[in-house]
Structures are given as structure tokens and as C-alpha cells.
Amino acid sequence: RGDFEGLGFYTYNEPAPRYRLLKLRRPYTRGAFVRWVQKRVGANPDGVYGPLTKAAVLVWQRSHRGRGEHLTADGIVGPKTFAAMKEPY
């Protein structure tokens, strides 16, 4: 599965899914891509892009700004954020 059951640690050896724009919407976006993003940003991987996932994406974007990735901290998983998430770290 890629995670260590019950410990909250996730490995990132799973391949990146096909890209799709993610931002907070009503109803919330759901699915495998959301779960993949949640694992990358350290959020609970429940597969729902809600306020907690958006907050985790914002923190992740801010923490990756200084790495030459020129990310906007907006909580949206757009093309630049997705490309940065695919990079190993």
C-alpha cells in the first residue's frame, strides 16, 4: 500500500498519477489523485480535498518555495505544484 499501517508514515515510491487541477470546491473533490497529493503533503490520506488538505498544501508550497520551484502558496495543486510534488525529495 505504500504506508506503514497505523504509524502515519508514507513512502513515496508509488508512481505519480495523471495530473488534474485540484483546488477547494464544493462539493469537495475526491479520489485517488487527492489521496496521492495528501500523502505528498503529509495530510490524512482520506481522498477528500477539503480545508485540511488545502492547509497542508499551503504549508507544503511555502516550504518548497526556496528550492527554485517558484511556487505560489495558494493551496491549489496546479501544474507547477504537481511537477514539484513528482520530484523525489
Side-chain angles (χ1 to χ4, degrees):
R1 271 184 41 165
D3 61 330
F4 297 95
E5 209 63 47
L7 297 176
F9 296 106
Y10 297 92
T11 58
Y12 301 109
N13 57 358
E14 50 191 301
R18 230 174 95 207
Y19 168 74
R20 64 186 266 205
L21 179 71
L22 275 183
K23 61 182 178 179
L24 192 59
R25 305 171 192 253
R26 292 213 184 263
Y28 298 143
T29 304
R30 301 171 181 270
F33 182 62
V34 175
R35 197 170 296 109
W36 181 87
V37 167
Q38 288 169 324
K39 289 178 183 180
R40 296 299 286 187
V41 300
N44 177 33
D46 62 2
V48 179
Y49 196 90
L52 295 176
T53 301
K54 179 181 178 180
V57 169
L58 279 165
V59 169
W60 190 91
Q61 287 170 324
R62 287 183 189 122
S63 72
H64 285 75
R65 275 186 183 169
R67 299 182 185 182
E69 293 160 348
H70 308 290
L71 299 178
T72 301
D74 56 8
I76 297 171
V77 181
K80 288 182 181 179
T81 297
F82 178 66
M85 285 180 173
K86 290 192 319 184
E87 295 297 317
Y89 55 93

